[in-house]
Amino acid sequence: MKTLVVYLMSGSQTPELATAAVEGGADIVELGFPFSDPLADGPVIRRAAERALREGMRTHACLECLERTHELVPDVPLVPMTYAALLEAYGWERFATDARDAGASSLIVADLPAGECPELKRIQLVAPTSTDARLRIAADETDGWLYLVTVTGTTGARADLSPALAGLVTRARAVTDSPLYAGFGISTPDHARAAAELADGIVVGSRAVEVAEEGPEALRAYVRMLREAVDSVAAN
């Protein structure tokens, strides 16, 4: 069975939105911790981060959001996704401990390269531009699964699935048995199906954040469409 990961920005409504995503078929939920200079994020997630910051979603509030989400979906892995500067300000060990205590199953630090701060257990990201050496380091250090960034650039919906994904999957499978989940640029059921044919799972972010603005019911229906697309691959 292929894995479906849905990204949502932390906010006052996020626990309920995460519940809707899980009801729609999400296996894992990423919770964005907003940062003022999110280099890896495209315009949709940047705007969501700006709204969250205006709402007062600082680190402590995001951890409370994580805890409440965990209360609502206790059996679903929750993965905070943020940036190194936030952890630096909060305290690396303190953040790891507090996130785990709040219900995090792992962690993603978008701008912390593999090989740096190896004591911080986290899901590693690799991209088509990653060297073989960097890919091996990431594969060795990753926590549970390896995040395949399908494109060179920021997050955001795109017209077509990146043609670079197939080659990245081949290179990653040569160095690890960890599950490979593909993200960045996946927004439609067709994208989801195509990516799931290559990888072990998919991650959907920007489009999920857009749909979440319409409320839990719209998000539930959108995730259900993605679930059906992914499951159609697993059934073949």
Side-chain angles (χ1 to χ4, degrees):
M1 181 175 177
K2 304 288 184 171
T3 299
L4 174 57
V5 185
V6 172
Y7 171 100
L8 298 169
M9 181 60 66
S10 294
S12 59
Q13 303 303 312
T14 302
E16 290 71 26
L17 289 167
T19 301
V22 171
E23 291 170 350
D27 299 300
I28 298 171
V29 176
E30 287 182 26
L31 295 177
F33 279 33
F35 179 56
S36 58
D37 189 23
L39 297 178
D41 293 322
V44 170
I45 294 180
R46 280 178 176 267
R47 288 194 295 268
E50 290 168 359
R51 289 194 299 269
L53 290 171
R54 287 197 299 269
E55 186 183 336
M57 296 304 295
R58 305 302 187 264
T59 303
H60 183 70
C62 290
L63 289 168
E64 290 180 339
C65 175
L66 169 63
E67 185 173 23
R68 175 59 179 155
T69 304
H70 180 61
E71 290 172 354
L72 294 179
V73 288
D75 299 324
V76 176
L78 303 176
V79 182
M81 182 172 183
T82 190
Y83 288 83
L86 186 150
L87 274 68
E88 182 71 29
Y90 191 84
W92 298 89
E93 292 183 11
R94 179 188 174 206
F95 185 92
T97 298
D98 289 356
R100 184 174 60 251
D101 290 346
S105 61
S106 189
L107 173 67
I108 297 174
V109 186
D111 59 344
L112 188 62
E116 294 187 20
C117 200
E119 66 276 9
L120 182 68
K121 197 68 175 174
R122 62 193 189 274
I123 294 161
Q124 301 284 353
L125 293 86
V126 295
T129 54
S130 298
T131 65
D132 289 342
R134 181 66 65 182
L135 200 156
R136 282 192 294 271
I137 293 170
D140 289 343
E141 293 183 356
T142 201
D143 184 21
W145 50 278
L146 191 61
Y147 195 139
L148 306 186
V149 176
T150 66
V151 296
T152 302
T154 60
T155 60
R158 290 168 170 81
D160 300 302
L161 184 68
S162 169
L165 176 59
L168 183 57
V169 168
T170 298
R171 293 172 60 212
R173 290 204 190 283
V175 297
T176 185
D177 293 327
S178 296
L180 309 176
Y181 300 164
F184 285 50
I186 298 173
S187 61
T188 69
D190 286 344
H191 292 163
R193 187 178 300 107
E197 287 176 348
L198 298 170
D200 301 307
I202 65 164
V203 184
V204 179
S206 293
R207 184 56 185 154
V209 169
E210 284 185 321
V211 175
E213 295 175 11
E214 303 172 24
E217 186 174 341
L219 181 62
R220 186 184 300 109
Y222 172 65
V223 174
R224 188 174 293 121
M225 289 193 301
L226 296 174
R227 178 80 265 170
E228 291 172 355
V230 168
D231 286 348
S232 71
V233 174
N236 292 334

